[in-house]
Structures are given as C-alpha cells and as structure tokens.
Amino acid sequence: MHSDSAVVLVTGAGKRVGAALARMLHTQGYSIALHYRHSATEASALAESMNAQRANSCLLIQADLNDSAARDAVIPKVIARFGRLDALI
C-alpha cells in the first residue's frame, strides 16, 4: 500500500515522548511508522488507535536499533508499506 500523505518514522514511539510525537503527527495527517523495542503492549494499542482513526495509516515495527541487521531492515519495511519515507524522528 502506498501513501499519499507524508510518512514519518518515529523511533521509540511505544510510550512517553515518542508516542506523543507520533500521535500529534498522525492527527496532522501524517502516516506513521511507529518503532518500538520493548513496549509492545503500548505500541500495539497506539497503532490500533491510529489505524482505527485512519485505516492503514500506521505501521508497527519492532526492532532493537543496536542490532545492525535489525536497524538496516527498518527503512525497507517502511518503504515497502508506504512507498516513501519523508522524515525520521
């Protein structure tokens, strides 16, 4: 699925500041690639909420960014889903 809206990858978006930024950007019309490392419950709930508001507007990605193979796989996943990546937070 390719997105017409700008796509933002927000790292550490499972909770706290990252989640707040992801919510704010989503309400402004951005599609969100929501990255988390350990906060699966919180990140899943946030992604479900975003996708309920706007179908297919949020991609949930789990990765340990300290692992180079996992880190290198994140952006290709975003591009495969949305066809683009416009910003990284």
Side-chain angles (χ1 to χ4, degrees), residues 31-61:
S31 292
I32 304 296
L34 197 151
H35 161 267
Y36 71 98
R37 183 172 60 170
H38 295 300
S39 305
T41 301
E42 296 91 340
S44 293
L46 181 55
E48 287 177 27
S49 171
M50 290 179 180
N51 283 322
Q53 292 170 22
R54 225 172 46 247
N56 302 311
S57 62
C58 182
L59 170 65
L60 188 59
I61 300 173

Side-chain angles (χ1 to χ4, degrees), residues 74-87:
V74 171
I75 291 175
K77 288 178 184 178
V78 175
I79 293 176
R81 168 69 178 274
F82 295 113
R84 64 194 283 178
L85 176 60
D86 299 291

